[in-house]
Amino acid sequence: MAQPVEITIPATGRKIAVPTGLFINNEFVPSVDSKDTIQTVNPATEEVICSIVAGSAADIDVAVAAARKAFNTTWGKNVTGFERSRLMNKLADLMERDAEMLAELETLNNGKPVRVARDFDIGDSVQCVRYYAGWADKITGQTIEVDNKTKVAFTRHEPIGVCGQIIPWNYPINMWSWKIAPALAAGCTIVMKPSEITPLTALKLSELFIEAGFPPGVLNTVPSLGSVGGAALSSHLDVDKVAFTGSTVTGRKIMEAAAKSNLKKVSLELGGKSPHVIFESADLEQAANWAALGILYNSGQDCTAGSRLFVQDTIYEKFTTLLAEKARAMKIGDGFGDVSGGPVVSKAQYDRVWSYIESGKSEGAKILTGGEKRPGKGYYVDPTIFTDVKPSMKIVREEIFGPVLAVAKFKTEEEAIELANDTSYGLGAGLHSNDANQCMRVSSALEAGTVWVNQYNMLNNNVPFGGKKQSGIGRELGSYGLEEYMSIKAVHWNFGEKLDWPF
Ligand code: NAP
Ligand code: MG
């Protein structure tokens, strides 16, 4: 089983041939030793889309060997940055050409609105690949004077090698792009493991890789269960780096596997419980829009979701009323309809989010809006806002990864900062205020890799992104993201010093 299957997008009638095999050496192949499959599901209808091959640990070995061979022959230090850039730009053009089709496939498997998938996820992904294509031929080291008469040193920024990349289901195409683009620009080769829940677009994008003209083995895609393929990649002795986005629990396992095997370099983008602080001087209408976006975008399945909202006591009633209106105005439904949000991704995620809503109710938080299940098919969770929450509640402490917001009150700036930082995470944080000095003070005090002032959740391909505390290690995007894929070699050059012997 590695033949493509033709699936039809019900809403548009578009037929898409989806590869079902493992993508290794620019071919779609069956597993070398396993008959396991992964069943993909449309979260809006709960219907099965198709089954694909689930890779085994032995398939990871084959893919890593292909990536190693490419690294040593056609890629790595054997190809110029100009050529890497040319191929990456070609890939970006093909992604742009196929944006509508890829968006429909993403929506079918993930649930997010087609418009969002096309204009945001894919639009941003195309730009990300182009951004790093721009870097590929501009990678330079340093020349370091040691002694003008006898010695000089210089650095070479070399590709780190074969990279395992493990991505989640919330932004399947976007996370694919964030991972492959800096790796390719640096000259690395890749074994990609998409999420078992949303593997289809990574397979479809692999076809574009061939069309763009990349040599075999540069990118390999092995859909597999996390405990099989993900574990095999992170413990592999011939993988030089593993890059991961997903939960903190899994991130910990990956770091442990790396430590116990070959001490491969690890970068982790993990979860969050990001605070969003609204001060009394803020433009309340705008702040409510950003706060709603912060928790409801992508149905709250966002690592930076602004899931803890702190509102100054003087504006608390007014602001929460406004926010509830914003939440109720958002249309949630099948991503192929005219909606701003879709279902959550899977039955497991649906059950998980509802268990948190139940816990919020039983721990005594007040429901401002939402909190009721819909009848019928589809993993829908309507925007749910809890007020009067206490710092000890589970809905305040744990990442929910759904459209569920916990709102609390504060009196002073000091109290707001203390509440905001009272978490083991440190991914994102937001604040709204029209007092410039306050913005500067608070943005400095918030413990997070990204702080948004008078906006939320906006990222740019040229600005670094990553976590503090237990939200991760390393940075993606920008020039910082490129550094994660490079190994710095220092060359010491002697052109005059004689070594006397014995010394
Ligand atoms: P997850 O387990 O962290 O999955 C992310 C990726 O890691 C997937 O490709 C997964 O594969 C893989 N994986 C799973 N176990 C692995 C292992 N032992 N070694 C290596 N890789 C492994 O996330 P999840 O279980 O799908 O979701 C659970 C929760 O994680 C969510 O509710 C949310 O709180 C959080 N999450 C955060 C992000 C984020 O962007 N920060 C993204 C997704 C989820 P499989 O898909 O095959 O399991
Ligand atoms: Mg999982």
Side-chain angles (χ1 to χ4, degrees), residues 103-428:
E104 290 182 13
L105 189 59
E106 191 84 320
T107 296
L108 194 70
N109 196 181
N110 168 281
K112 68 179 70 194
V114 178
R115 175 175 60 88
V116 172
R118 186 193 56 226
D119 298 347
F120 296 97
D121 292 39
I122 298 172
D124 182 78
S125 296
V126 170
Q127 191 193 62
C128 180
V129 176
R130 288 193 180 129
Y131 171 77
Y132 280 109
W135 269 114
D137 55 13
K138 297 171 193 68
I139 296 170
T140 54
Q142 300 176 359
T143 308
I144 303 160
E145 291 300 340
V146 178
D147 178 325
N148 284 329
K149 296 206 171 64
T150 59
K151 285 188 179 181
V152 71
F154 58 90
T155 58
R156 307 186 82 151
H157 291 198
E158 301 186 340
I160 199 162
V162 173
C163 299
Q165 302 190 319
I166 302 171
I167 56 172
W169 41 258
N170 50 344
Y171 295 97
I173 295 180
N174 222 183
M175 289 302 103
W176 184 88
S177 307
W178 281 27
K179 293 281 181 290
I180 63 126
L184 294 172
C188 295
T189 56
I190 299 164
V191 177
M192 168 69 68
K193 194 209 89 64
S195 166
E196 70 189 87
I197 299 166
T198 55
L200 300 184
T201 44
L203 289 169
K204 204 64 194 160
L205 286 161
S206 300
E207 288 184 341
L208 298 186
F209 218 74
I210 309 176
E211 192 179 344
F214 283 92
V218 172
L219 167 74
N220 306 276
T221 308
V222 185
S224 48
L225 304 182
S227 54
V228 179
L233 263 182
S234 41
S235 62
H236 206 287
L237 290 172
D238 201 29
V239 169
D240 300 298
K241 179 204 159 87
V242 63
F244 169 77
T245 299
S247 62
T248 299
V249 174
T250 302
R252 220 182 277 282
K253 287 185 195 161
I254 287 173
M255 203 164 172
E256 196 183 338
K260 284 185 170 159
S261 53
N262 61 347
L263 285 168
K264 57 180 68 61
K265 184 171 176 172
V266 174
S267 58
L268 306 172
E269 296 289 354
L270 308 176
K273 193 71 189 172
S274 300
H276 203 162
V277 185
I278 318 294
F279 290 100
E280 61 189 356
S281 71
D283 175 337
L284 297 192
E285 183 69 32
Q286 272 300 303
N289 288 348
W290 290 109
L293 181 89
I295 188 62
L296 302 179
Y297 189 71
N298 214 36
S299 299
Q301 303 166 118
D302 192 309
C303 44
T304 55
S307 53
R308 293 181 299 135
L309 188 76
F310 300 104
V311 184
Q312 198 148 23
D313 54 359
T314 48
I315 53 161
Y316 188 80
E317 298 304 329
K318 192 171 169 196
F319 189 77
T320 49
T321 305
L322 197 55
L323 184 62
E325 281 167 22
K326 305 282 179 190
R328 289 188 203 109
M330 182 155 165
K331 267 211 312 222
I332 310 288
D334 188 325
F336 289 99
D338 176 25
V339 294
S340 302
V344 298
V345 78
S346 65
K347 175 76 165 70
Q349 195 59 19
Y350 177 82
D351 289 342
R352 192 184 144 93
V353 174
W354 278 108
S355 81
Y356 277 108
I357 294 175
E358 290 313 322
S359 114
K361 288 180 185 172
S362 68
E363 286 193 287
K366 211 167 89 188
I367 288 201
L368 182 63
T369 189
E372 294 297 328
K373 279 192 178 172
R374 284 188 187 185
K377 289 276 182 200
Y379 306 130
Y380 292 104
V381 184
D382 285 312
T384 298
I385 302 178
F386 284 102
T387 54
D388 299 351
V389 302
K390 301 208 171 55
S392 61
M393 288 178 178
K394 226 170 117 179
I395 56 166
V396 178
R397 305 229 65 85
E398 296 180 16
E399 181 175 46
I400 301 175
F401 231 61
V404 182
L405 180 66
V407 188
K409 213 182 272 186
F410 68 89
K411 268 195 174 59
T412 65
E413 184 181 302
E414 293 67 35
E415 188 191 0
I417 292 167
E418 198 175 311
L419 285 166
N421 287 340
D422 180 20
T423 169
S424 60
Y425 291 113
L427 197 58

Side-chain angles (χ1 to χ4, degrees), residues 55 97 195 480:
R97 179 196 71 189
S195 166
Y480 300 87

